[in-house]
Amino acid sequence: MKGLQVIYGDRPREMVKKLLYEIELEKKLSKDSIIGLKPNLVLAKPASSGATTSPEIAAGIIEYFQERGFINIRIMEGSWVGDSTKRAYKVCGYENIAQRYNVPLLDLKNDLGVNEQFLGENYKICETVKQVDYLINLPVLKGHCQTKMTCALKNLKGCIPDSEKRRFHSLGLHKPIAYLNGIIKAKLHIVDGIMGDLTFEEGGNPVEMGRIIAGTDPVLVDSYVAELMGYEINEIKHVQIAHEIGLGQLYSDDTPIKEIDRKNMPSVTIKPGHKVKHLSKWINENQACSPCYGSLIHALDKLDDMGLLGSYKGKISIGRGYKESAIDGIGVGICTSKSRYNIAGCPPRAKDLVQVLQKVIKNKK
Ligand code: SF4
């Protein structure tokens, strides 16, 4: 699989099956391979909070493999130090998945940990992960209070014992997260980009982004996601370090991306949390697709952090309802192409929105 695959929609089970059908993963595996699924169940909150991986993504992968005769599938996770993995499995809907498909749920907190070395540095990882032939990483596209974003690279932190998680924090997270990916190498990363939190790994301000992203290179996946969220790649240290130590390529305009079901872009549906509600004050929305609206929310959050929004009195138009309208202001996406200041894209990336919006807003103030 070259580059990245992106599928749009809001039905994760069907979407992930379609993605796997495109990738034809089963051709690379023998039927008795042990397949491990590593979701992000950092704490016991449902996927609708923006914190955790939708169980429907795991369900779609399991269905796909079981329909093709694979029987050694297991789900594995170790929630963060402050929560119980078992509680997270229950609250996040994974107990139901385990019963429905007869797959085990493994609590990595039960592992004592084994020592491994990478580039001369010692790390402790959960031994259960080493027993897997094919690890599929299922991170969430979301913000993080320390590392700005968390996705493929950081999700593997759930595969180390709690004592090591504490040590990672004492080391500042960036370097150990990157190095961990030199030891534990997930073969495929399937990102839950349906719903993820704006700024915080714990959820509470979910942003719909309406897509699932798949790739085999975690650096490529994360650098692509960083731009979707409005970051320049040099702002995300752990991704930068992972690239520098040879763990993958950074996303560029030349990266091949196969987009599936562009016509299925879902509409915005969720009730916004306080921060998203605050940012939506600068938006005129009319039938916007969630991948477009989500990009704008991420971009506005960055502009708010720069102090540009406070005194800005205008509104930004977005959505399919503006296709025929002339707008005397800023419009986002090709549906608002008749705006005075239009930022094209369908859907646009938050990084591009940040770059253009900051110039336009500064000029209009
Ligand atoms: S530009 Fe229009 S069609 Fe495209 S994602 Fe945005 S709202 Fe949807």
Side-chain angles (χ1 to χ4, degrees), residues 32-39 62 71-77 89 102-106 128 131-136 138:
D32 56 359
S33 301
I34 300 174
I35 300 169
L37 307 185
K38 162 64 179 80
I62 295 166
I71 48 165
N72 286 323
I73 306 168
R74 53 206 60 183
I75 297 173
M76 50 191 60
E77 172 61 311
Y89 276 140
N102 194 24
V103 296
L105 296 176
L106 306 180
T128 301
Q131 293 151 11
V132 170
D133 297 313
Y134 201 91
L135 184 63
I136 304 181
L138 307 177

Side-chain angles (χ1 to χ4, degrees), residues 83-142:
D83 213 331
S84 134
T85 315
K86 289 182 186 62
R87 208 166 78 86
Y89 276 140
K90 187 181 176 68
V91 171
C92 300
Y94 283 73
E95 275 192 0
N96 292 341
I97 298 291
Q99 282 162 13
R100 199 191 312 163
Y101 300 103
N102 194 24
V103 296
L105 296 176
L106 306 180
D107 183 353
L108 298 180
K109 285 188 189 242
N110 294 333
D111 285 25
L112 293 174
V114 289
N115 292 318
E116 294 279 340
Q117 269 211 344
F118 183 70
L119 298 179
E121 307 264 347
N122 294 312
Y123 295 98
K124 200 167 249 186
I125 68 161
C126 296
E127 53 267 38
T128 301
V129 181
K130 294 185 75 175
Q131 293 151 11
V132 170
D133 297 313
Y134 201 91
L135 184 63
I136 304 181
N137 189 17
L138 307 177
V140 180
L141 181 166
K142 63 176 175 175

Side-chain angles (χ1 to χ4, degrees), residues 4-6 8 141 149 151 191 211-214 217-231 233 239 249-252 255-259 347 349 351:
L4 300 168
Q5 303 233 7
V6 180
Y8 296 96
L141 181 166
M149 60 162 273
C151 196
V191 180
R211 70 196 99 190
I212 293 175
I213 301 155
D217 175 342
V219 178
L220 187 59
V221 168
D222 279 9
S223 50
Y224 175 69
V225 165
E227 296 197 358
L228 291 183
M229 294 178 71
Y231 291 111
I233 192 54
V239 180
Q249 295 302 312
L250 294 174
Y251 172 76
S252 74
T255 302
I257 297 191
K258 184 171 183 185
E259 290 183 292
R349 296 178 307 176
K351 178 189 160 188

